[in-house]
Amino acid sequence: MTPFEIMGVVNVTPDSFSDGGTFDSDDDAVRHARRLVEEGAAIVDIGGESTRPGAAPVPAEEERRRVVPVVEGIAALGLGARISVDTMKLEVARAAVDAGATYVNDVTAFRHDTALAGFVAERGLECCLMHMLGEPRTMQRDPRYDDVVSDVKAFLEERLAAAVAAGIAEERVQLDPGIGFGKTLEHNLELLRRLDELVAIGRPIVVGTSRKSFLGRITGRDVTERVHATVATSVIAFERGARVFRVHDVAATADALAVTAATFGQWRVIPTRTTTTKTT
Ligand code: 9MG
C-alpha cells in the first residue's frame, strides 16, 4: 500500500454542510470527481444523504436517484480510482455497486442496516466502518464518554468483529473514529492526539476532518476557508498513523501528505501536475 490514500468527497445532496447543492447536474458532479482523481484521490466517495449534525434522513429511493447516475458516470470514465458509496442503506449500496462502486462507506458501521454487512461480504467489497454516538439529527447534543479514545476503540473492535462474523475479509475493512459525529471539540482533538491507540487495532484508519465545524471554532473561519486547518489535521493524523484521508480539498492535502510521508522516509512518486483545488 502507498503511505497514504486520499478519499475525495463528492456530495450529491442539496444540504451537506460544506458543499451541499454545489453541482448543477450529474455531469457536473462527475467532472468534479475526475478533477479530484487528477489531484490525487485514490478513492472518490459519493454521498446522496447528508450526515451533517441535525440532518434529516432521506428516503432510499431519492438517495438512489441522486447517487447512481453519478457513480455510473464516474465508472464510465475508467479513472482508475475506486468508487465508494457513502450510504447506510442496503438498497442504495446495491444499486451503486451495480453501477460500479466497490467500496461502502457506512457511517453507522452496519448498525442501521445489518444486512449491508452480508452484502459487502457476498460481493467482496471494501468498507469503512465509522464510529458515531447517536444519530446525525441529535448527535451533537451533549455527547459524553468515559474516555473517548477507549470508548471509540472498543466500538471499532466490536464492529470489526461483527463484520468478520458476517463474512467480510478483515483485509477489506477500514476503521474511522468519526471526527465530529457525536463529539465535542475536545473529543475530536483527543482522538487526533491519541490516534495511535486506534491504529493498534491493526486496520487502516480513515480520518475525516475536512472543513468540519471544530476547525471553524479553532480558527474562526467559515466553512469555505478551512482548507489550511484541514491540512494541518491531516498531517497530524498521518504522523499518528492514519492512512486514508477523506477530504474535499484533495490537491492541498495530497501535497502536504506527500511532503510529510517523504520526511518520514516514505516516498510516493507523484507525476508532475499543476492542478489546484477549487474550494467552493
Ligand atoms: C460521510 N462522512 C462525513 N464525514 C465522514 C467521516 O469523517 N468519515 C467517514 N468515513 N465518512 C464521513
Side-chain angles (χ1 to χ4, degrees), residues 183-226:
K183 280 116 187 156
T184 62
L185 167 61
E186 290 73 23
H187 292 145
N188 292 326
L189 297 180
E190 179 93 11
L191 281 163
L192 288 173
R193 225 175 2 251
R194 293 171 52 198
L195 210 55
D196 52 323
E197 295 177 41
L198 305 183
V199 172
I201 299 172
R203 298 307 313 142
I205 297 295
V206 181
V207 166
T209 57
S210 193
R211 302 180 181 177
K212 285 186 178 170
S213 66
F214 78 107
L215 300 177
R217 283 194 51 208
I218 295 171
T219 61
R221 298 243 176 224
D222 178 69
V223 70
T224 56
E225 296 185 339
R226 295 180 191 157

Side-chain angles (χ1 to χ4, degrees), residues 17 106 153 190:
F17 78 105
D106 181 1
K153 184 176 183 187
E190 179 93 11

Side-chain angles (χ1 to χ4, degrees), residues 19-31:
D19 57 0
T22 302
F23 307 119
D24 292 332
S25 66
D26 295 340
D27 286 348
D28 210 11
V30 172
R31 269 192 293 276

Side-chain angles (χ1 to χ4, degrees), residues 7 9 11 17 45 47 49-52 86-87 103-107 128-131 175-181 206-210 212 246 248:
M7 175 187 271
V9 178
N11 282 325
F17 78 105
D45 190 36
E49 177 178 49
S50 173
T51 49
R52 75 184 155 79
D86 159 20
T87 189
Y103 187 120
V104 175
N105 176 26
D106 181 1
V107 298
C128 175
L129 307 181
M130 197 196 80
H131 176 271
L175 302 172
D176 185 328
I179 298 291
F181 284 82
V206 181
V207 166
T209 57
S210 193
K212 285 186 178 170
R246 183 182 182 278
H248 301 81

